[in-house]
Amino acid sequence: MLNREAVRRILKSALREDLGPGDITTESILTGEELGRAQAVAKGEMIVAGLPVFGEAFGLLDEKINIAEFCKDGDRLRPQYILAECRGRLGAILSAERVALNLLQRLSGIATLTGRFVEATAGTGVRILDTRKTIPGLRILDKYAVRVGGGFNHRFGLADGILIKENHIAAAGGIAQAITRVRRSAHHLLKIEIETANLTEVKEALAAGADVIMLDNMSLAEMKEAVALVAGRVPLEASGNVTLANVRRIAECGVDMISVGALTHSAPAADISLLVTTG
């Protein structure tokens, strides 16, 4: 579920950015009293995500605008499917259109791409994870869309868990030193995940007591060796250069999780149009 107040804060900021002191085009053409409707139409196949955000954008400009949804987040849609319809003052509909559509297209694009990765690894037992490679300020929405698409969330922020990456290792002077320092300061409920780049580092991470090991940018052969070496003692997360073309082969190496930054940093926006009629 999305936190409505958090969504409204994001939308208010976006509307302020887009509207500035006013929508001079719409205000020049309309008196402000004209009524009409607008339909959001899918132009391609997609998993829809962000319908509550879409409707909220219009409601913030005019609470009397009526929003009818003809599907729900997570539905798979075909081209020409009508997602939702807005009825009310045309001025408010036109002024909120870009913000509402931008977010609906982005979130549906993320959900759709996530769904493709989930489908590509079906039957392997692997979880598809997102990363923190999100648009600043939109993380709550981006990660929501990943869940809608069937994926799972990694950390929301730096306070959500311990993930020791290569720069942390370099700063600490090594894998063992990094884990020792974290163990000394972190409370007993926190698990420690550490990034490794080769089998030597995997062995070091195991010996130092890592709870989760990330296999970063390893070849398929290296990942298979790492899986055999770890032998189920700790969960393994594969990361780096994951694509739809190779994700199945990565999953079949026997890892538990695959994190994919592309879910949120490179998902193509879903093709959705808002078509307005008067009266």
Side-chain angles (χ1 to χ4, degrees), residues 122-190:
T124 65
V126 162
R127 283 190 172 195
I128 297 297
L129 308 179
D130 56 23
T131 70
R132 286 168 37 249
K133 295 175 182 176
T134 56
I135 296 294
L138 296 186
R139 184 168 293 172
I140 187 175
L141 301 183
D142 285 358
K143 284 181 171 282
Y144 166 77
V146 168
R147 297 196 304 275
V148 170
F152 292 83
N153 295 146
H154 212 299
R155 296 181 298 173
F156 266 79
L158 294 173
D160 288 328
I162 296 170
L163 174 50
I164 304 171
K165 297 180 72 67
E166 59 180 339
N167 286 335
H168 298 113
I169 295 168
I175 286 176
Q177 295 92 321
I179 292 179
T180 298
R181 292 183 188 182
V182 167
R183 285 273 183 224
R184 192 181 302 139
S185 60
H187 66 71
H188 67 287
L189 295 179
L190 282 175

Side-chain angles (χ1 to χ4, degrees), residues 51 54-56 58-59 64-69 84-87:
L51 282 170
F54 177 80
E56 195 77 59
F58 294 101
K64 293 183 179 180
I65 289 178
N66 179 264
I67 307 291
E69 297 176 0
E85 181 178 87
C86 314
R87 287 181 178 269

Side-chain angles (χ1 to χ4, degrees), residues 30-170:
L30 301 177
T31 66
E33 299 304 319
E34 294 89 347
L35 301 177
R37 66 173 183 166
Q39 293 181 331
V41 182
K43 309 299 285 186
E45 293 186 0
M46 68 184 69
I47 297 176
V48 63
L51 282 170
V53 182
F54 177 80
E56 195 77 59
F58 294 101
L60 283 172
L61 287 193
D62 186 347
E63 62 183 15
K64 293 183 179 180
I65 289 178
N66 179 264
I67 307 291
E69 297 176 0
F70 304 121
C71 57
K72 63 183 184 301
D73 280 2
D75 285 350
R76 295 174 180 267
L77 307 183
R78 294 188 178 277
Q80 303 310 312
Y81 191 96
I82 299 172
L83 287 72
E85 181 178 87
C86 314
R87 287 181 178 269
R89 284 196 309 112
L90 274 177
I93 291 172
L94 291 172
S95 293
E97 172 187 359
R98 188 70 272 151
V99 167
L101 264 186
N102 281 355
L103 291 173
L104 183 61
Q105 289 176 304
R106 175 172 177 78
L107 301 190
S108 296
I110 291 172
T112 301
L113 182 59
T114 301
R116 289 174 182 155
F117 275 92
V118 171
E119 289 170 2
T121 56
T124 65
V126 162
R127 283 190 172 195
I128 297 297
L129 308 179
D130 56 23
T131 70
R132 286 168 37 249
K133 295 175 182 176
T134 56
I135 296 294
L138 296 186
R139 184 168 293 172
I140 187 175
L141 301 183
D142 285 358
K143 284 181 171 282
Y144 166 77
V146 168
R147 297 196 304 275
V148 170
F152 292 83
N153 295 146
H154 212 299
R155 296 181 298 173
F156 266 79
L158 294 173
D160 288 328
I162 296 170
L163 174 50
I164 304 171
K165 297 180 72 67
E166 59 180 339
N167 286 335
H168 298 113
I169 295 168

